[in-house]
Amino acid sequence: MSIPRPSSPVTYLLIAGMIGWMLLSGVDIFQPSVKEVVDAGANFAPLSLGNEFWRNFSALFVHYGFLHLLLNCMALLMLGRIIEPQTGSFYFLLLFILSGLLGNAVS
């Protein structure tokens, strides 16, 4: 007897990553300050366009408060469970990262 695997493991890993990043970053999830969110790796143009280009990636996991995190995780859960099985985990992760980086670039 084998243990059934979820059909969308990357979706669940991304959600865990978002929640984990916010819990471990030290940001007050219910009343975040701008400084806390920027320190956690948010996309802040003067820094992102300078030497801290890594912010374009870390910003995919940084959220400004509980409601923002909750709504993004719910959207990812609903859409990820539909899209990931159709595209495959690798291409779903690639789509998530590229769309996030593109979104950060145009913001």
Side-chain angles (χ1 to χ4, degrees):
M1 183 167 123
S2 65
I3 298 172
R5 292 182 9 185
S7 60
S8 47
V10 169
T11 297
Y12 295 110
L13 286 173
L14 289 171
I15 290 170
M18 289 177 186
I19 294 170
W21 190 289
M22 294 309 296
L23 291 175
L24 296 175
S25 68
V27 174
D28 182 348
I29 195 72
F30 294 104
Q31 291 184 319
S33 70
V34 173
K35 182 183 180 337
E36 287 178 328
V37 175
V38 169
D39 289 346
N43 184 10
F44 180 58
L47 299 175
S48 299
L49 296 173
N51 293 338
E52 299 181 13
F53 57 88
W54 53 268
R55 289 178 175 277
N56 293 306
F57 179 77
S58 65
L60 302 178
F61 298 93
V62 175
H63 295 81
Y64 196 82
F66 178 74
L67 186 60
H68 183 204
L69 177 63
L70 176 67
L71 294 175
N72 279 16
C73 287
M74 286 175 53
L76 180 57
L77 181 64
M78 289 187 289
L79 295 174
R81 291 183 358 188
I82 295 169
I83 297 170
E84 186 177 352
Q86 293 179 0
T87 61
S89 295
F90 174 78
Y91 288 109
F92 179 71
L93 179 61
L94 189 64
L95 176 66
F96 177 85
I97 292 171
L98 291 178
S99 61
L101 291 176
L102 182 61
N104 286 335
V106 298
S107 72

